[in-house]
Short mmCIF file of all heavy atoms in Angstrom, two decimals:
data_model
loop_
_atom_site.label_atom_id
_atom_site.label_comp_id
_atom_site.label_asym_id
_atom_site.label_seq_id
_atom_site.Cartn_x
_atom_site.Cartn_y
_atom_site.Cartn_z
N ARG A 235 42.45 24.08 -86.92
CA ARG A 235 43.03 24.37 -88.24
C ARG A 235 44.46 24.87 -88.11
O ARG A 235 45.35 24.44 -88.84
CB ARG A 235 42.16 25.39 -88.96
CG ARG A 235 42.67 25.72 -90.33
CD ARG A 235 41.79 26.72 -91.03
NE ARG A 235 42.37 27.04 -92.32
CZ ARG A 235 41.71 27.53 -93.32
NH1 ARG A 235 40.43 27.77 -93.20
NH2 ARG A 235 42.31 27.79 -94.45
N GLU A 236 44.70 25.78 -87.18
CA GLU A 236 46.04 26.32 -86.98
C GLU A 236 47.02 25.23 -86.56
O GLU A 236 48.17 25.20 -87.03
CB GLU A 236 46.00 27.44 -85.94
CG GLU A 236 45.31 28.69 -86.45
CD GLU A 236 45.01 29.70 -85.35
OE1 GLU A 236 45.29 29.42 -84.15
OE2 GLU A 236 44.46 30.77 -85.67
N ALA A 237 46.58 24.33 -85.69
CA ALA A 237 47.46 23.24 -85.25
C ALA A 237 47.79 22.30 -86.40
O ALA A 237 48.94 21.87 -86.55
CB ALA A 237 46.80 22.47 -84.10
N ILE A 238 46.81 21.98 -87.23
CA ILE A 238 47.04 21.10 -88.37
C ILE A 238 47.99 21.77 -89.37
O ILE A 238 48.90 21.13 -89.90
CB ILE A 238 45.71 20.70 -89.04
CG1 ILE A 238 44.90 19.82 -88.10
CG2 ILE A 238 45.97 19.99 -90.38
CD1 ILE A 238 43.47 19.58 -88.56
N GLU A 239 47.79 23.06 -89.60
CA GLU A 239 48.65 23.77 -90.55
C GLU A 239 50.09 23.86 -90.06
O GLU A 239 51.02 23.86 -90.86
CB GLU A 239 48.09 25.17 -90.82
CG GLU A 239 46.83 25.14 -91.67
CD GLU A 239 46.17 26.49 -91.83
OE1 GLU A 239 46.53 27.45 -91.09
OE2 GLU A 239 45.29 26.60 -92.70
N ARG A 240 50.29 23.92 -88.74
CA ARG A 240 51.65 23.96 -88.18
C ARG A 240 52.35 22.61 -88.22
O ARG A 240 53.57 22.52 -88.21
CB ARG A 240 51.62 24.44 -86.72
CG ARG A 240 51.45 25.92 -86.53
CD ARG A 240 51.69 26.33 -85.09
NE ARG A 240 50.97 25.54 -84.11
CZ ARG A 240 49.75 25.82 -83.63
NH1 ARG A 240 49.11 26.89 -84.06
NH2 ARG A 240 49.19 25.05 -82.74
N ALA A 241 51.59 21.53 -88.26
CA ALA A 241 52.16 20.18 -88.21
C ALA A 241 52.82 19.83 -89.54
O ALA A 241 52.29 20.13 -90.61
CB ALA A 241 51.07 19.17 -87.88
N ASP A 242 53.97 19.17 -89.44
CA ASP A 242 54.61 18.68 -90.67
C ASP A 242 54.25 17.21 -90.86
O ASP A 242 53.57 16.60 -90.02
CB ASP A 242 56.13 18.90 -90.63
CG ASP A 242 56.83 18.16 -89.50
OD1 ASP A 242 56.30 17.12 -89.03
OD2 ASP A 242 57.91 18.62 -89.08
N ASP A 243 54.67 16.64 -91.96
CA ASP A 243 54.32 15.25 -92.28
C ASP A 243 54.78 14.28 -91.20
O ASP A 243 54.05 13.35 -90.85
CB ASP A 243 54.91 14.84 -93.63
CG ASP A 243 54.22 15.52 -94.80
OD1 ASP A 243 53.13 16.09 -94.59
OD2 ASP A 243 54.76 15.47 -95.91
N ASP A 244 55.98 14.49 -90.68
CA ASP A 244 56.48 13.59 -89.63
C ASP A 244 55.59 13.63 -88.40
O ASP A 244 55.30 12.59 -87.80
CB ASP A 244 57.92 13.96 -89.25
CG ASP A 244 58.91 13.62 -90.35
OD1 ASP A 244 58.60 12.76 -91.20
OD2 ASP A 244 60.00 14.23 -90.37
N GLN A 245 55.14 14.81 -88.02
CA GLN A 245 54.26 14.92 -86.85
C GLN A 245 52.91 14.23 -87.10
O GLN A 245 52.35 13.63 -86.19
CB GLN A 245 54.03 16.39 -86.50
CG GLN A 245 55.28 17.06 -85.94
CD GLN A 245 55.09 18.54 -85.78
OE1 GLN A 245 54.60 19.22 -86.69
NE2 GLN A 245 55.48 19.07 -84.64
N LEU A 246 52.41 14.31 -88.31
CA LEU A 246 51.12 13.68 -88.62
C LEU A 246 51.22 12.16 -88.69
O LEU A 246 50.20 11.48 -88.62
CB LEU A 246 50.56 14.23 -89.93
CG LEU A 246 50.19 15.71 -89.91
CD1 LEU A 246 49.77 16.17 -91.30
CD2 LEU A 246 49.10 15.98 -88.89
N GLU A 247 52.43 11.64 -88.80
CA GLU A 247 52.61 10.19 -88.87
C GLU A 247 53.04 9.57 -87.55
O GLU A 247 53.16 8.35 -87.45
CB GLU A 247 53.63 9.87 -89.97
CG GLU A 247 53.09 10.22 -91.35
CD GLU A 247 54.11 10.03 -92.46
OE1 GLU A 247 55.20 9.49 -92.20
OE2 GLU A 247 53.81 10.45 -93.59
N VAL A 248 53.24 10.37 -86.51
CA VAL A 248 53.63 9.83 -85.20
C VAL A 248 52.49 8.96 -84.69
O VAL A 248 51.34 9.38 -84.63
CB VAL A 248 53.92 10.97 -84.20
CG1 VAL A 248 54.08 10.43 -82.79
CG2 VAL A 248 55.15 11.74 -84.63
N ALA A 249 52.84 7.73 -84.31
CA ALA A 249 51.83 6.79 -83.79
C ALA A 249 51.63 7.01 -82.30
O ALA A 249 52.60 7.14 -81.54
CB ALA A 249 52.26 5.36 -84.07
N THR A 250 50.38 7.08 -81.89
CA THR A 250 50.01 7.29 -80.50
C THR A 250 48.85 6.37 -80.16
O THR A 250 47.96 6.17 -80.97
CB THR A 250 49.56 8.76 -80.28
OG1 THR A 250 50.60 9.62 -80.74
CG2 THR A 250 49.25 9.04 -78.84
N ALA A 251 48.89 5.84 -78.95
CA ALA A 251 47.79 4.97 -78.50
C ALA A 251 46.56 5.81 -78.23
O ALA A 251 46.64 6.92 -77.71
CB ALA A 251 48.19 4.22 -77.24
N GLY A 252 45.41 5.27 -78.58
CA GLY A 252 44.15 5.92 -78.25
C GLY A 252 43.62 5.34 -76.95
O GLY A 252 43.93 4.21 -76.58
N TYR A 253 42.84 6.11 -76.24
CA TYR A 253 42.26 5.65 -74.97
C TYR A 253 40.75 5.78 -75.03
O TYR A 253 40.20 6.62 -75.73
CB TYR A 253 42.80 6.48 -73.80
CG TYR A 253 44.24 6.19 -73.50
CD1 TYR A 253 45.26 6.79 -74.22
CD2 TYR A 253 44.58 5.28 -72.51
CE1 TYR A 253 46.59 6.51 -73.95
CE2 TYR A 253 45.91 5.00 -72.24
CZ TYR A 253 46.90 5.62 -72.96
OH TYR A 253 48.21 5.32 -72.70
N THR A 254 40.09 4.95 -74.27
CA THR A 254 38.64 5.02 -74.16
C THR A 254 38.29 4.82 -72.70
O THR A 254 39.16 4.75 -71.84
CB THR A 254 37.98 3.96 -75.07
OG1 THR A 254 36.57 4.18 -75.07
CG2 THR A 254 38.29 2.55 -74.61
N TYR A 255 37.02 4.72 -72.41
CA TYR A 255 36.58 4.49 -71.04
C TYR A 255 36.87 3.05 -70.62
O TYR A 255 36.77 2.13 -71.41
CB TYR A 255 35.09 4.76 -70.90
CG TYR A 255 34.66 6.16 -71.22
CD1 TYR A 255 33.69 6.40 -72.18
CD2 TYR A 255 35.23 7.24 -70.57
CE1 TYR A 255 33.29 7.70 -72.47
CE2 TYR A 255 34.84 8.54 -70.87
CZ TYR A 255 33.87 8.75 -71.82
OH TYR A 255 33.47 10.03 -72.10
N ALA A 256 37.17 2.87 -69.35
CA ALA A 256 37.35 1.53 -68.81
C ALA A 256 35.97 0.86 -68.73
O ALA A 256 35.00 1.49 -68.31
CB ALA A 256 38.00 1.59 -67.43
N ALA A 257 35.89 -0.38 -69.12
CA ALA A 257 34.61 -1.11 -69.13
C ALA A 257 34.10 -1.35 -67.71
O ALA A 257 34.85 -1.81 -66.85
CB ALA A 257 34.78 -2.43 -69.85
N GLY A 258 32.83 -1.03 -67.50
CA GLY A 258 32.17 -1.35 -66.24
C GLY A 258 32.65 -0.57 -65.04
O GLY A 258 32.38 -0.96 -63.91
N VAL A 259 33.34 0.54 -65.24
CA VAL A 259 33.86 1.32 -64.12
C VAL A 259 33.05 2.60 -63.99
O VAL A 259 32.93 3.37 -64.93
CB VAL A 259 35.35 1.67 -64.33
CG1 VAL A 259 35.85 2.55 -63.21
CG2 VAL A 259 36.18 0.41 -64.46
N LEU A 260 32.47 2.80 -62.82
CA LEU A 260 31.76 4.05 -62.51
C LEU A 260 32.28 4.57 -61.18
O LEU A 260 32.39 3.80 -60.24
CB LEU A 260 30.26 3.83 -62.45
CG LEU A 260 29.60 3.52 -63.78
CD1 LEU A 260 28.12 3.21 -63.58
CD2 LEU A 260 29.76 4.66 -64.77
N PRO A 261 32.60 5.83 -61.03
CA PRO A 261 32.55 6.82 -62.10
C PRO A 261 33.54 6.48 -63.20
O PRO A 261 34.46 5.69 -63.00
CB PRO A 261 32.92 8.12 -61.40
CG PRO A 261 33.67 7.72 -60.20
CD PRO A 261 33.16 6.37 -59.80
N LEU A 262 33.33 7.08 -64.36
CA LEU A 262 34.15 6.76 -65.52
C LEU A 262 35.63 6.98 -65.26
O LEU A 262 36.02 7.88 -64.54
CB LEU A 262 33.73 7.61 -66.71
CG LEU A 262 32.34 7.30 -67.27
CD1 LEU A 262 32.03 8.24 -68.41
CD2 LEU A 262 32.26 5.86 -67.75
N ALA A 263 36.42 6.11 -65.85
CA ALA A 263 37.87 6.21 -65.74
C ALA A 263 38.46 5.86 -67.10
O ALA A 263 37.85 5.17 -67.90
CB ALA A 263 38.39 5.25 -64.68
N VAL A 264 39.66 6.34 -67.33
CA VAL A 264 40.34 6.03 -68.58
C VAL A 264 40.70 4.56 -68.58
O VAL A 264 41.20 4.02 -67.59
CB VAL A 264 41.62 6.89 -68.73
CG1 VAL A 264 42.39 6.49 -69.98
CG2 VAL A 264 41.24 8.36 -68.80
N GLY A 265 40.44 3.89 -69.68
CA GLY A 265 40.75 2.48 -69.82
C GLY A 265 42.16 2.26 -70.31
O GLY A 265 42.95 3.20 -70.42
N PRO A 266 42.48 1.03 -70.62
CA PRO A 266 43.82 0.72 -71.11
C PRO A 266 44.04 1.31 -72.50
O PRO A 266 43.08 1.58 -73.23
CB PRO A 266 43.83 -0.82 -71.16
CG PRO A 266 42.40 -1.19 -71.29
CD PRO A 266 41.62 -0.14 -70.57
N PRO A 267 45.30 1.51 -72.87
CA PRO A 267 45.56 2.08 -74.20
C PRO A 267 45.13 1.14 -75.30
O PRO A 267 45.22 -0.07 -75.18
CB PRO A 267 47.08 2.28 -74.21
CG PRO A 267 47.60 1.37 -73.18
CD PRO A 267 46.52 1.21 -72.15
N GLY A 268 44.66 1.73 -76.37
CA GLY A 268 44.29 0.96 -77.55
C GLY A 268 45.47 0.87 -78.49
O GLY A 268 46.59 1.25 -78.14
N PRO A 269 45.23 0.40 -79.70
CA PRO A 269 46.33 0.29 -80.67
C PRO A 269 46.87 1.66 -81.05
O PRO A 269 46.13 2.64 -81.08
CB PRO A 269 45.67 -0.40 -81.88
CG PRO A 269 44.22 -0.14 -81.73
CD PRO A 269 43.95 -0.01 -80.26
N ALA A 270 48.17 1.70 -81.34
CA ALA A 270 48.79 2.95 -81.77
C ALA A 270 48.34 3.27 -83.19
O ALA A 270 48.27 2.38 -84.05
CB ALA A 270 50.31 2.83 -81.70
N ARG A 271 48.02 4.52 -83.41
CA ARG A 271 47.57 4.98 -84.72
C ARG A 271 48.27 6.30 -85.03
O ARG A 271 48.62 7.05 -84.12
CB ARG A 271 46.07 5.17 -84.74
CG ARG A 271 45.29 3.90 -84.41
CD ARG A 271 43.83 4.09 -84.73
NE ARG A 271 43.02 2.99 -84.29
CZ ARG A 271 42.83 1.87 -84.97
NH1 ARG A 271 43.42 1.70 -86.13
NH2 ARG A 271 42.06 0.92 -84.51
N PRO A 272 48.43 6.63 -86.31
CA PRO A 272 49.06 7.91 -86.65
C PRO A 272 48.17 9.09 -86.23
O PRO A 272 46.95 8.95 -86.11
CB PRO A 272 49.21 7.85 -88.17
CG PRO A 272 48.23 6.82 -88.62
CD PRO A 272 48.05 5.85 -87.48
N ALA A 273 48.81 10.23 -86.02
CA ALA A 273 48.07 11.43 -85.60
C ALA A 273 46.93 11.74 -86.57
O ALA A 273 45.87 12.21 -86.16
CB ALA A 273 49.02 12.61 -85.49
N ALA A 274 47.14 11.46 -87.85
CA ALA A 274 46.10 11.74 -88.85
C ALA A 274 44.80 11.00 -88.52
O ALA A 274 43.71 11.50 -88.80
CB ALA A 274 46.60 11.37 -90.24
N HIS A 275 44.89 9.82 -87.91
CA HIS A 275 43.71 9.06 -87.49
C HIS A 275 42.88 9.87 -86.48
O HIS A 275 41.65 9.95 -86.58
CB HIS A 275 44.14 7.72 -86.90
CG HIS A 275 43.04 7.00 -86.20
ND1 HIS A 275 42.14 6.21 -86.87
CD2 HIS A 275 42.70 6.95 -84.89
CE1 HIS A 275 41.28 5.69 -86.00
NE2 HIS A 275 41.60 6.13 -84.80
N PHE A 276 43.57 10.46 -85.50
CA PHE A 276 42.87 11.22 -84.47
C PHE A 276 42.33 12.54 -85.03
O PHE A 276 41.27 13.00 -84.61
CB PHE A 276 43.81 11.46 -83.28
CG PHE A 276 44.21 10.16 -82.62
CD1 PHE A 276 45.47 9.64 -82.84
CD2 PHE A 276 43.32 9.46 -81.84
CE1 PHE A 276 45.85 8.43 -82.26
CE2 PHE A 276 43.68 8.25 -81.25
CZ PHE A 276 44.95 7.73 -81.47
N ILE A 277 43.04 13.11 -85.98
CA ILE A 277 42.55 14.33 -86.62
C ILE A 277 41.26 14.02 -87.37
O ILE A 277 40.28 14.77 -87.29
CB ILE A 277 43.61 14.93 -87.56
CG1 ILE A 277 44.78 15.46 -86.73
CG2 ILE A 277 43.01 16.03 -88.43
CD1 ILE A 277 45.99 15.83 -87.54
N ALA A 278 41.23 12.90 -88.09
CA ALA A 278 40.02 12.51 -88.82
C ALA A 278 38.85 12.31 -87.85
O ALA A 278 37.73 12.75 -88.13
CB ALA A 278 40.27 11.23 -89.63
N GLY A 279 39.10 11.69 -86.70
CA GLY A 279 38.05 11.51 -85.70
C GLY A 279 37.56 12.84 -85.15
O GLY A 279 36.36 13.04 -84.92
N THR A 280 38.49 13.76 -84.94
CA THR A 280 38.13 15.08 -84.45
C THR A 280 37.28 15.82 -85.47
O THR A 280 36.29 16.48 -85.13
CB THR A 280 39.39 15.89 -84.09
OG1 THR A 280 40.11 15.18 -83.09
CG2 THR A 280 39.04 17.27 -83.59
#
């Protein structure tokens, strides 16, 4: 909540790539970057 309240509109609109697990890799590893989305997208997921 504190981080969201400190963020301004420009910060919430910064596009950033999302990451997921690499397919078929054990032990788990970070996969390739996904599409860039605004910070608000990641906040909604959180």
Side-chain angles (χ1 to χ4, degrees):
R235 181 180 178 158
E236 290 168 358
I238 293 170
E239 288 174 347
R240 282 191 310 270
D242 62 26
D243 289 346
D244 290 338
Q245 290 172 313
L246 294 175
E247 293 175 8
V248 170
T250 305
Y253 289 83
T254 188
Y255 299 124
V259 177
L260 291 175
L262 292 178
V264 176
R271 301 191 187 276
H275 168 83
F276 297 104
I277 292 169
T280 301

